[in-house]
Every structure is written in structure tokens, then in C-alpha cells.
Amino acid sequence: MMTPYAKRLLQGDDLRYSLLEFVQKNSIQAGSLLSGVGCLSKAKIRLADENNVLNLEGPLEIITLSGTLTPQHVHIHISVADGKGCVYGGHLMPGCIVHYTTELCMVAFNNLNFEREYDSNTEFDELVVVDNNN
């Protein structure tokens, strides 16, 4: 069974912190961010090389926003477009600030728990899926 959620963020909200707060407040143990649309005044996006972070000034239109949700961690990828239509994307970092509004659609998987465990191969805390029905 799945439970749908929707949330509107307001000007000045930090996108990543607001998502994590929502997940914790609603006791979502395993979830997915299905979509997000809106505008940011600032964006911090970690690139694929794991070291470089883009610091972008807005307004920036959110093009895509998706990822996994756990009570301890939200793993979200984002792409944004600037006023010239140039698109930037990567890992959502704290410091992505809502400009006007952002609309989020999420779902919780009630039969699952998502956890994170350190993986020595990747050197990151990676997703572990626990099926509560087994």
C-alpha cells in the first residue's frame, strides 16, 4: 500500500531541510519524491565527481526533482534552468532556497523501510530496503 502526500513550500524555505522535516513529521519510513516544480532564488548542487558544488543564483526554474526519502536522509537529484535556459543538475544540497513557491508530490511505501548503511565499495551510506512483509 502507498500513501500519497503533497506539500507546498514558501519563499525562503530551504528545499532539502523542508523535505527532511516533512518526512520526519509524517513518520515516512520509506518514500519517494515523485515530482517537484517551482522556482529557486539560490541552488547548491553537488556534481557527479563528488567534490565540486555549483553555487547558482536565481531565479532558477526547477526542471526535475526526484529521489528517495528516509527519516534520517533524503537522497534527491535536481535539475534547474537559468534565465537563458541553461540546465544544471546533480545532487541536492542544503542551501537551495525557494524563490516564490515549490510544489512537491511524494509517496510513502507502507510495506517497506528504507535504511542507510555504509558501503566500503562506494564509501557512501547506501540504501538498504527492508520489506516488512517478509
Side-chain angles (χ1 to χ4, degrees):
M1 187 168 136
M2 294 187 290
T3 304
Y5 292 93
K7 171 79 175 162
R8 179 177 172 229
L9 302 181
L10 303 175
Q11 187 173 30
D13 287 342
D14 183 293
L15 181 53
R16 189 173 186 286
Y17 288 135
S18 296
L19 269 167
L20 184 58
E21 180 181 62
F22 183 85
V23 169
Q24 292 170 343
K25 181 178 178 183
N26 288 280
S27 300
I28 297 172
Q29 299 303 308
S32 181
L33 176 58
L34 302 176
S35 70
V37 295
C39 189
L40 301 176
S41 60
K42 295 179 186 179
K44 290 183 81 168
I45 302 171
R46 191 184 79 218
L47 302 176
D49 69 2
E50 304 161 13
N51 294 314
N52 291 325
V53 175
L54 285 178
N55 290 292
L56 304 170
E57 293 293 323
L60 301 159
E61 199 69 36
I62 297 171
I63 305 300
T64 59
L65 193 62
S66 63
T68 54
L69 309 171
T70 69
Q72 299 80 24
H73 181 77
V74 292
H75 183 183
I76 307 296
H77 288 191
I78 186 170
S79 61
V80 296
D82 65 16
K84 294 181 181 179
C86 295
V87 176
Y88 306 90
H91 186 87
L92 178 74
M93 301 293 291
C96 292
I97 307 301
V98 174
H99 188 54
Y100 297 116
T101 188
T102 297
E103 302 163 6
L104 305 171
C105 293
M106 298 158 277
V107 64
F109 305 106
N110 301 326
N111 62 315
L112 302 175
N113 277 8
F114 288 170
E115 299 170 2
R116 296 257 166 208
E117 289 183 6
Y118 180 77
D119 184 322
S120 60
N121 292 322
T122 66
E123 298 183 353
F124 286 101
D125 289 338
E126 300 292 358
L127 183 68
V128 176
V129 179
V130 178
D131 187 337
N132 297 324
N133 293 330
N134 291 330

